[in-house]
Amino acid sequence: MYVLHMNEGEGETSYAKNSLLQKKIISVGSSMMEAAIFNILLEVKPKSMGVADLGCSSGPNALTAVSRIIHMVDVASQKMGLPVPELRVSLNDLPGNDFNGVFKSLPELYKNLKGDYGIEDCYVWGVPGSFYGRLFPGHSLHFVHSSSSLHWLSKVPLDLNPRVGTHLNKDKIYISKSSSMSVIKAYQQQFHDDFSLFLRSRAKEMVSKGRMVLSFMGRRSPNPCADEACYQWELLARALMSLALDGLVEKEKIDSFNAPYYAPCAEEVKCHVENEGSFVVVDVESFEIEWDAGDSTNCKISSGNRVSKTIRAVVEPMFENHFHLGVEMMDELFRRYAKIIDDCFLETKFKYINLVISFVRKD
């Protein structure tokens, strides 16, 4: 079982210092969030509004989405001539998340809400646990938001768990152009199982006509092996293999690692939503975001280093758990990763595809 949480603390490799890319992604979904919140107030008219941010993480982004949502509720209420409803806000992430750091920021949030909007009836708490399952009481949520989280699977696909002497995805750590169809199908099945469970769980927790806006890494191509979906993992595998060639990492460790990640296309998501039956897809958008968009203002370091730092802040806990690399070896791995990316960027600038999808809970 891999350890899935971001790098904690405030150090140079922490998520707090290397999450500008994720902050930009949150802003991408603002128009859909505004429309969803307006429709909730128009159709449901809640006196007490349940809001959940799933996969809130830690660091400066942890309260970014919630702050924007509360601001949107305030603006929409004023436009409609309605009082701002009481707000019950749940911050969710896995138990390993640095919730203490998040909670330390709450007094400042409450102060700003009162000073900027005159809002006092807002209550924020943490809900540790996997969103692939029930988290909240029935019919308690009006709006659900999640950003940069649902591309993470609940676990590595079962069919890829290493058997004695057998690894189906040798030399790779995710789907690649050389992956067999069995590897691709294993990932697709795990995403299907996880996302269907996610939808069933939220359907029980949300009120009728409640809204949900989900933003996560995906792809425009129907091909799961497309570079836009997996090339960052391909290059990271190359960096790991270079360590193995130098005798610094066991190759078997690489062969037995498979990232619990999947970047779907919009058509896959729509298909799962239709099959589950509790939600209707209202809107779908896809956005290109350059790999090094996280800190483009820092010209002192290369694009490869910017990308490497962003990825390291996300995957390092998993790598520590599986590869048992010390700090110096982890530094060497991501130094090589940065060099590989810089070499690739000489020919082309790679981009992530981010999907933003809005849903409404059926009556």
Side-chain angles (χ1 to χ4, degrees):
M1 183 67 180
Y2 296 144
V3 177
L4 187 55
H5 61 77
M6 308 301 107
N7 267 352
E8 298 176 353
E10 300 287 335
E12 284 303 308
T13 62
S14 68
Y15 183 76
K17 289 283 183 69
N18 298 283
S19 54
L20 285 175
L21 176 69
Q22 289 84 352
K23 185 174 184 177
K24 290 186 178 183
I25 289 173
I26 290 173
S27 68
V28 161
S30 291
S31 61
M32 280 197 200
M33 291 163 65
E34 289 173 352
I37 288 168
F38 184 88
N39 280 295
I40 291 167
L41 297 177
L42 178 67
E43 299 171 354
V44 185
K45 297 181 175 64
K47 290 184 172 59
S48 179
M49 183 173 173
V51 174
D53 185 29
L54 307 181
C56 66
S57 194
S58 58
N61 292 345
L63 297 178
T64 297
V66 164
S67 298
R68 292 190 180 201
I69 290 166
I70 295 171
H71 174 64
M72 291 173 188
V73 172
D74 180 66
V75 170
S77 296
Q78 289 187 40
K79 284 183 179 178
M80 301 170 72
L82 297 171
V84 176
E86 174 188 81
L87 293 166
R88 297 172 282 109
V89 181
S90 299
L91 300 173
N92 158 259
D93 212 308
L94 293 172
N97 186 53
D98 184 13
F99 279 104
N100 284 337
V102 178
F103 295 153
K104 288 176 183 176
S105 302
L106 288 181
E108 185 69 17
L109 173 68
Y110 289 136
K111 179 182 176 182
N112 292 339
L113 292 181
K114 185 176 181 180
D116 295 344
Y117 313 123
I119 294 175
E120 295 188 55
D121 291 336
C122 179
Y123 309 93
V124 183
W125 52 81
V127 181
S130 172
F131 49 56
Y132 294 123
R134 287 291 301 273
L135 288 167
F136 308 100
H139 310 293
S140 62
L141 298 178
H142 296 80
F143 182 65
V144 172
H145 170 265
S146 181
S147 181
S148 298
S149 294
L150 276 158
H151 43 250
W152 293 110
L153 302 174
S154 66
K155 58 187 177 183
V156 174
L158 286 176
D159 288 349
L160 298 185
N161 282 339
R163 303 181 181 92
V164 178
T166 303
H167 296 292
L168 298 180
N169 205 24
K170 288 185 176 182
D171 303 343
K172 307 297 179 184
I173 58 175
Y174 180 60
I175 294 170
S176 73
K177 287 183 170 64
S178 63
S179 294
S180 66
M181 187 54 65
S182 61
V183 170
I184 295 169
K185 286 184 176 179
Y187 271 104
Q188 289 175 325
Q189 184 62 50
Q190 188 62 52
F191 176 75
H192 170 269
D193 294 346
D194 283 345
F195 193 63
S196 297
L197 179 56
F198 176 90
L199 293 173
R200 291 197 302 272
S201 300
R202 302 296 82 78
K204 293 175 181 177
E205 297 163 351
M206 294 179 68
V207 302
S208 173
K209 297 182 181 178
R211 302 275 172 156
M212 183 162 63
V213 175
L214 308 178
S215 173
F216 47 90
M217 293 297 184
R219 63 182 197 273
R220 288 172 175 164
S221 170
N223 181 7
C225 302
D227 284 347
E228 65 188 20
C230 58
Y231 203 54
Q232 70 271 31
W233 295 104
E234 171 70 23
L235 299 187
L236 189 49
R238 289 185 195 175
L240 282 164
M241 287 299 294
S242 74
L243 291 181
L245 288 172
D246 291 342
L248 301 174
V249 171
E250 293 179 33
K251 185 175 179 299
E252 194 278 335
K253 284 286 187 182
I254 302 172
D255 293 341
S256 62
F257 181 90
N258 293 284
Y261 173 98
Y262 184 72
C265 62
E267 288 69 26
E268 284 178 279
V269 176
K270 289 178 182 177
C271 180
H272 295 326
V273 172
E274 286 183 18
N275 290 338
E276 194 281 326
S278 298
F279 293 90
V280 173
V281 173
V282 177
D283 197 6
V284 179
E285 292 186 38
S286 62
F287 298 88
E288 291 183 346
I289 299 178
E290 291 187 350
W291 280 16
D292 61 345
D295 190 12
S296 55
T297 60
N298 188 350
C299 299
K300 294 181 181 179
I301 64 173
S302 69
S303 292
N305 273 295
R306 288 199 291 269
V307 177
S308 182
K309 289 175 69 175
T310 300
I311 296 295
R312 179 174 181 171
V314 174
V315 306
E316 185 167 7
M318 280 193 297
F319 277 26
E320 285 178 343
N321 181 254
H322 182 83
F323 293 102
H324 305 294
L325 300 177
V327 175
E328 290 185 4
M329 196 56 60
M330 196 72 74
D331 288 344
E332 177 63 16
L333 168 63
F334 285 97
R335 186 194 65 76
R336 295 188 185 199
Y337 186 41
K339 176 66 166 57
I340 291 170
I341 293 169
D342 279 330
D343 289 346
C344 290
F345 270 30
L346 293 174
E347 298 180 9
T348 183
K349 279 267 191 177
F350 294 103
K351 297 177 181 179
Y352 299 115
I353 301 298
N354 192 74
L355 300 180
V356 184
I357 307 179
S358 178
F359 308 77
V360 61
R361 175 72 169 89
K362 289 182 179 179
D363 290 336

